[in-house]
Every structure is written in structure tokens, then in C-alpha cells.
Amino acid sequence: MQTPTTVLEVLDAPVWRARAAAHARSVEALTADRLARRVEGRTHPVDDFLWEYYAFRPAQLARWHPGPGVGLADGQEREGWSGYLVDGAGTAYLDVERFVQRRGRALSFVRDLLRATLSRPGRFGCFGLHEWAMVYRADREEVRHDWPLRLGAEGTDAVVESHQVACSHFDAHRFFTPEAAPRNTLRPTREGQLDLEQPGCLHAGMDLYKWCFKLAPAVPSDLTLEAFHLARDIRELDMRAAPYDLRDLGYEPVRIESTEGKREYAEAQRGFSRRSNALRRRLLEVLDGLAQTSW
């Protein structure tokens, strides 16, 4: 049986099981409406996005992980869980060495991306036009969400044509319509992500949730859950500023076609930039810790 070399703290079974149960309850509360909608055949452009786009199942999110350096006393039940080892005393812990061997390339990429993003100032002049560019001159059946366009098709196209589109995120830009893509002042690519990612980008902020769950169980679940809440809050702004009319769902539009709406959007964007950078630093601290012990 391999002996842990990086366990700094061992949690008693009642302590860690209580934390795991509380985490599972939190996730259950987050997913209740989603499950009800699936039964009824309804969709929601804000609340369904994180589950569908990022494809991390509620059952996966509900699994609590303490992260590296923490052992779980009487944790034999975690034997066989991906990334875990259980020692002769029954203490479960993250197998840091094997995890880094298996996921080293992903760890390096995310670490570099976080550093690059943190090194840059946020840009706050895009005004959420990526969602408008996704429906620019699109046929009705090509529109991504089954909700009416607030300004109609011609009004939506006019907003795109009267603004400078400056999207820096590849995974937003790749959904632009063919007519909208050339209007973007930047040419984001997957290979160039390290060169363009910046903390003002809403999609970069939402992606922190993706990096957390992709690196589970090395990332503590409390950090992953905070990233989920941030991503959900960002998605709400994303869709309020989008061309869709979601007032029937209780979302008042951020009218980015107006001066006041631009101001409102940029102010919210700055707030999300601060929140996302705080999470970036915390996630980077976790990854740097893995680097110090195993790379």
C-alpha cells in the first residue's frame, strides 16, 4: 500500500462526512429546478446553460473533494474513486503524484492560462455583442434560443452593424454567424487562447467553473461550487444583455444599444472581473501547490 507523502491534515470521519453531505445538499438545491424542467419538457436559457454547455453532471458536482493535502479518516468508501488512494489505516487522500502524471498537460495549460489572464487588464468595451453576432442575419431556425428577439431581426442586425464587435474569446467567437465573424476586430483561435484571454471577458469568467471541474478531484469542491455560482451570475448578465426578450422569465434587459445600457453592462462586467480574478488566484494557488510537490 502506497504511503501518502503530501497529506498535511487528516479530517475525522464525522467532520468530512458532514461537509460532504452539506455540499451534496447545496448541489441538490441548485439542480432541483433543472430536473423539474426536464420532466416537464421545458428549457431555460440561463439555468440550463451550465449543465448543457459544460456537460458536468449534477451527480459529479455533488461529489465533495477536499483537494490535495487533506486526508479523510475512515475513508475506505473512496477506494476506487478516480484520483484517490486509501492507506493501510483507512485514510483516503488525493494521489497527487499519479494525478499529475495523468493530467500534467492539462494542469500546465490551465496554470499558464490563469497566469496570462491575471497579467492583463480587463477590457470592458465589448458590451456583450457576441450574443448579437450569433444571430446576425440568421434565419429563424438558426437562432440558438427559442425566444423572441427584443428588437426584431432587422433591429438586431442594425445594432451589430452600428457597433464595433471586439470578442476575445474563441468559444464565443466560433458561434458567430458567417456574416458576423469578419466584423470582429480580433481573430481568436484555440491555439491563441493564451495570447488573448483577459479578465473582462464574461466567457473567461464562466470558464473558471470548467477548469475547476476538469481538474477534479485535485480542486477543492468549495472552490468549484464558488466558480459555479460565479458562472451562473455571469450567464444571467450575458442573457439579459443578449438580443432576446426574456422578460417573461423575470429578466429585465440590459439595453446595450443605449448609452445607459452600455454603462450598466460595463459596470457589472468590472464586478465580475474582480470576482473572477479572486477565484483565478485561488485556483492558481492550488495548482502551484501541486507543482511544488510533484513537477
Side-chain angles (χ1 to χ4, degrees):
M1 182 64 67
Q2 185 171 340
T3 301
T5 57
T6 58
V7 174
L8 306 178
E9 177 187 14
V10 176
L11 299 178
D12 291 336
V15 173
W16 71 260
R17 287 201 173 101
R19 294 181 187 178
H23 174 79
R25 288 193 298 270
S26 295
V27 174
E28 182 179 4
L30 289 171
T31 59
D33 289 344
R34 157 81 169 168
L35 296 176
R37 284 194 302 275
R38 292 187 67 180
V39 170
E40 298 168 4
R42 294 184 293 111
T43 60
H44 195 288
V46 174
D47 291 338
D48 288 341
F49 177 79
L50 298 185
W51 306 113
E52 294 173 355
Y53 181 75
Y54 289 121
F56 193 53
R57 298 190 303 275
Q60 293 172 294
L61 183 60
R63 279 192 167 190
W64 178 79
H65 304 293
V70 180
L72 307 176
D74 194 19
Q76 295 93 335
E77 66 214 60
R78 299 212 168 190
E79 191 161 12
W81 282 33
S82 177
Y84 280 87
L85 279 177
V86 179
D87 66 15
T91 300
Y93 58 92
L94 177 70
D95 185 352
V96 173
E97 183 176 352
R98 185 164 181 228
F99 184 87
V100 173
Q101 287 174 350
R102 291 177 56 242
R103 304 302 311 281
R105 289 183 62 185
L107 287 167
S108 294
F109 171 77
V110 176
R111 199 170 172 224
D112 290 344
L113 183 64
L114 295 174
R115 284 176 169 171
T117 307
L118 284 166
S119 73
R120 300 185 181 109
R123 296 203 293 269
F124 306 107
C126 70
F127 305 121
L129 283 164
H130 55 275
E131 287 287 345
W132 299 69
M134 292 178 192
V135 297
Y136 178 66
R137 295 189 179 179
D139 294 333
R140 188 68 188 96
E141 59 271 16
E142 296 175 314
V143 176
R144 291 169 56 81
H145 299 286
D146 191 22
W147 289 88
L149 298 175
R150 183 166 53 80
L151 303 180
E154 290 185 4
T156 300
D157 292 348
V159 169
V160 175
E161 291 167 358
S162 62
H163 287 75
Q164 182 183 74
V165 183
C167 179
S168 61
H169 198 276
F170 172 73
D171 282 317
H173 181 259
R174 68 190 176 98
F175 290 110
F176 282 22
T177 64
E179 293 81 4
R183 290 182 169 274
N184 199 40
T185 59
L186 302 171
R187 294 292 177 266
T189 63
R190 182 72 70 200
E191 295 74 21
Q193 191 169 6
L194 289 175
D195 298 322
L196 285 181
E197 201 93 319
Q198 49 89 18
C201 173
L202 295 191
H203 279 262
M206 284 192 286
D207 276 352
L208 285 169
Y209 170 59
K210 174 175 70 174
W211 305 131
C212 285
F213 75 69
K214 280 186 174 293
L215 296 176
V219 177
S221 289
D222 63 336
L223 180 53
T224 302
L225 200 56
E226 283 193 48
F228 178 95
H229 283 292
L230 171 65
R232 199 275 174 204
D233 291 346
I234 290 175
R235 177 60 176 178
E236 180 175 329
L237 174 65
D238 198 28
M239 294 308 292
R240 287 180 61 215
Y244 304 101
D245 188 345
L246 302 179
R247 282 173 289 188
D248 285 349
L249 292 176
Y251 297 116
E252 283 298 317
V254 176
R255 303 177 188 276
I256 58 92
E257 69 275 14
S258 70
T259 300
E260 182 180 348
K262 287 180 174 63
R263 187 182 303 113
E264 180 182 359
Y265 183 90
E267 182 179 350
Q269 200 177 16
R270 287 187 173 90
F272 286 132
S273 177
R274 291 189 290 270
R275 283 176 64 185
S276 66
N277 274 344
L279 287 181
R280 283 186 185 94
R281 294 186 186 97
R282 288 174 58 190
L283 180 55
L284 188 57
E285 184 177 355
V286 172
L287 302 188
D288 285 345
L290 292 171
Q292 292 170 9
T293 58
S294 297
W295 294 4

